[in-house]
Amino acid sequence: MTNGAILLLMTACFLGFGYMGVPVAFALMAGVLAACALTPISMQSMIGQMFHGIDSEILLAVPFFLLVGELMTSADVTNRMIKLAQTMVGHLRGGLAQVVTLFSMFFAGISGSSTADVAVLTRTVAPEMTREGYDRAFTAALIACASTMANLIPPSIMAVVYGATGNVSIGGLFLAGIAPGIVIGIGLMIYSHFFGPVGLRKPRATLCEFADAVRASTLPLMIPVIIMGGILTGWFTPTEAGMVASVYILLVLVPLLAPGHIPNLPRDFVFTGLLYSIPLALVAAASAFGWMLA
Amino acid sequence: MMLCGVCIAGFTSSVFLDVVTRTIGLPVLWLQLATTGFFAWGVFIGMAVATRRIDHLNLVEITKRIRGSKRTCIEVFNRTIMLLVALTMLVFGVQNFMNDLGSFRAPSLIPLATYTASVPVAGALIVMFCVEQLVNGLINGFEGPEDADDFVGIVR
């Protein structure tokens, strides 16, 4: 069998099984194993390649950033950032749409996960937008678009995975993502202002209200500073930055801002433990797939 | 799921201790090995748990919109593919494990097999969960509460 035919078979297996509803990680592995059956390459080496695909210290940053997002969300610390966004842009035309975009920019700088961003916004701001008469389709589209900023603004999990698999500087990728992420945010705010629903016009927040909101969200907003500051000054690696951010939340934010959440911390760990394994199982399967292609 | 939580708590602690011991000038080298061990085990155990909870990422959710015998056929086919992949992970993972008993990771010379054992263990668990889902599905049907479409209200 020629190399082209094997490549075609692998792609057909992946897409065919994938569209039948087989989970992506298994569809990828099925393609690899089908190709193994037709070549002298041993299946044993391919299964070994799955392990080597995730045996990378850089990938450890992924669960830490997911843990940060999960802890922030479940401890309700994110509400403080939403209030800050409201005092900053809530009075503009399409106020809540502007809040969604600005909050996404803040939260992207903390969790790096677009899924976590969507989870927070659909639970907090989306019901409020429905109550204020925003079209639900517009709300869904805006949240989906705004959450993509988490893939650009550091600490982006996508950047970590790309850096780990492509052997590219993660600090460099983080720096490169800042400007495009902010430009997308500004673009969404401009679109919402001119073409989105008007929403309820609210009075501009007073300086006192703004100062209160800033004070309340200072501790959560220290996280992007810790992460990027630590990485750019060379104090720690992206993995260690994620760990420092997690420990900061566990030892400072939760006890100070949400002490009632402490008994629920084990549940957050269990949930994050499951959450991080799903994309990394994909990385493991994709690593074997890529190795076979090469 | 508890094991997933233990793994993430384990490697958070080990990375934390690694940074602290390094900063105070008393680095403990085996902490890095513990970290990668917890991480690898967490990924593969989590892969098995996600199989049981049907939480894996899919390209499409086509089966959720199908009912009856057509659904049963597709679900059985999908589970069979997963079962075959899991069996391969189990059989060839055990072979890798046996080979890795003779390989060691510097500096603590821990057998590499302690890490690579996570693959066949995950394979065995996935086999069990796939068989369980196949049996349950064939007896009670594959339809479940997870089929509910969360986005119906928005689309309408």
Side-chain angles (χ1 to χ4, degrees):
Chain A
M1 211 171 189
T2 62
N3 286 346
I6 292 169
L7 183 65
L8 204 64
L9 174 75
M10 286 172 69
T11 312
C13 280
F14 166 55
L15 291 177
F17 293 152
Y19 279 101
M20 283 288 283
V22 176
V24 178
F26 290 90
L28 280 168
M29 278 313 291
V32 172
L33 298 175
C36 276
L38 300 168
T39 55
I41 297 169
S42 71
M43 292 203 188
Q44 196 179 334
S45 65
M46 280 297 118
I47 296 299
Q49 192 57 38
M50 272 185 86
F51 175 80
H52 295 303
I54 55 120
D55 189 22
S56 153
E57 192 168 337
I58 298 170
L59 285 175
L60 276 164
V62 174
F64 284 130
F65 292 133
L66 285 173
L67 183 63
V68 167
E70 179 59 26
L71 288 171
M72 292 284 286
T73 311
S74 61
D76 264 349
V77 178
T78 45
N79 281 339
R80 292 161 183 265
M81 282 151 42
I82 292 173
K83 276 188 189 138
L84 176 64
Q86 272 172 338
T87 59
M88 288 170 79
V89 293
H91 61 282
L92 298 176
R93 189 180 184 276
L96 280 180
Q98 310 287 2
V99 169
V100 163
T101 310
L102 190 60
F103 170 77
S104 286
M105 289 163 84
F106 289 154
F107 196 64
I110 290 173
S111 83
S113 159
S114 52
T115 318
D117 196 358
V118 170
V120 173
L121 285 169
T122 46
R123 269 186 276 173
T124 52
V125 189
E128 191 64 27
M129 287 179 83
T130 308
R131 270 196 293 278
E132 285 196 12
Y134 285 83
D135 181 25
R136 294 186 78 188
F138 173 80
T139 305
L142 181 68
I143 291 174
C145 292
S147 67
T148 58
M149 282 186 282
N151 294 327
L152 288 167
I153 295 174
S156 157
I157 289 173
M158 291 279 268
V160 174
V161 173
Y162 183 80
T165 50
N167 208 14
V168 182
S169 157
I170 293 176
L173 286 171
F174 278 0
L175 269 181
I178 297 173
I182 292 172
V183 168
I184 288 176
I186 293 170
L188 284 173
M189 290 175 87
I190 292 171
Y191 179 86
S192 302
H193 185 81
F194 290 107
F195 305 107
V198 181
L200 288 182
R201 295 302 292 268
K202 290 171 191 152
R204 183 190 287 268
T206 62
L207 198 59
C208 278
E209 286 169 337
F210 175 65
D212 283 346
V214 170
R215 200 178 313 123
S217 50
T218 301
L219 286 176
L221 287 178
M222 284 298 290
I223 295 171
V225 179
I226 292 172
I227 292 172
M228 281 314 290
I231 294 171
L232 295 179
T233 55
W235 272 31
F236 26 74
T237 63
T239 304
E240 289 164 357
M243 181 277 299
V244 170
S246 307
V247 170
Y248 172 74
I249 295 175
L250 286 170
L251 299 184
V252 179
L253 280 196
V254 174
L256 287 181
L257 304 181
H261 185 71
I262 292 172
N264 297 328
L265 288 176
R267 192 197 59 193
D268 293 341
F269 272 88
V270 167
F271 185 68
T272 312
L274 173 64
L275 204 63
Y276 90 83
S277 66
I278 296 170
L280 288 170
L282 266 178
V283 172
S287 165
F289 196 89
W291 198 86
M292 192 65 175
L293 282 181
Chain B
M1 273 191 88
M2 286 294 290
L3 279 176
C4 296
V6 170
C7 286
I8 194 168
F11 71 73
T12 305
S13 313
S14 58
V15 174
F16 178 69
L17 289 173
D18 187 28
V19 172
V20 169
T21 52
R22 213 176 51 211
T23 308
I24 61 172
L26 297 166
V28 181
L29 296 176
W30 60 263
L31 278 171
Q32 288 180 1
L33 298 178
T35 303
T36 46
F38 275 124
F39 178 68
W41 275 92
V43 171
F44 286 105
I45 295 293
M47 188 179 179
V49 175
T51 303
R52 177 133 208 279
R53 291 166 48 97
I54 318 179
D55 271 341
H56 274 294
L57 294 174
N58 288 69
L59 277 183
V60 288
E61 303 268 331
I62 193 168
T63 49
K64 288 185 179 177
R65 303 187 188 282
I66 300 171
R67 295 280 177 275
S69 58
K70 204 171 170 187
R71 163 90 180 245
T72 306
C73 287
I74 294 175
E75 292 279 14
V76 168
F77 175 79
N78 290 349
R79 295 295 192 289
T80 310
I81 297 293
M82 290 169 72
L83 195 61
L84 288 174
V85 171
L87 277 170
T88 319
M89 281 171 70
L90 173 61
V91 173
F92 295 102
V94 168
Q95 288 182 12
N96 277 339
F97 171 77
M98 300 305 284
N99 289 343
D100 290 339
L101 282 171
S103 308
F104 301 94
R105 255 196 183 173
S108 303
L109 299 181
I110 295 172
L112 192 57
T114 52
Y115 299 85
T116 50
S118 55
V119 180
V121 169
L125 290 172
I126 295 170
V127 167
M128 271 172 24
F129 297 146
C130 281
V131 170
E132 180 199 15
Q133 286 168 2
L134 273 171
V135 172
N136 277 343
L138 288 170
I139 295 170
N140 304 316
F142 285 95
E143 288 85 0
E146 70 277 3
D147 294 350
D149 196 342
D150 297 331
F151 301 103
V152 168
I154 290 172
V155 174
R156 278 178 190 158

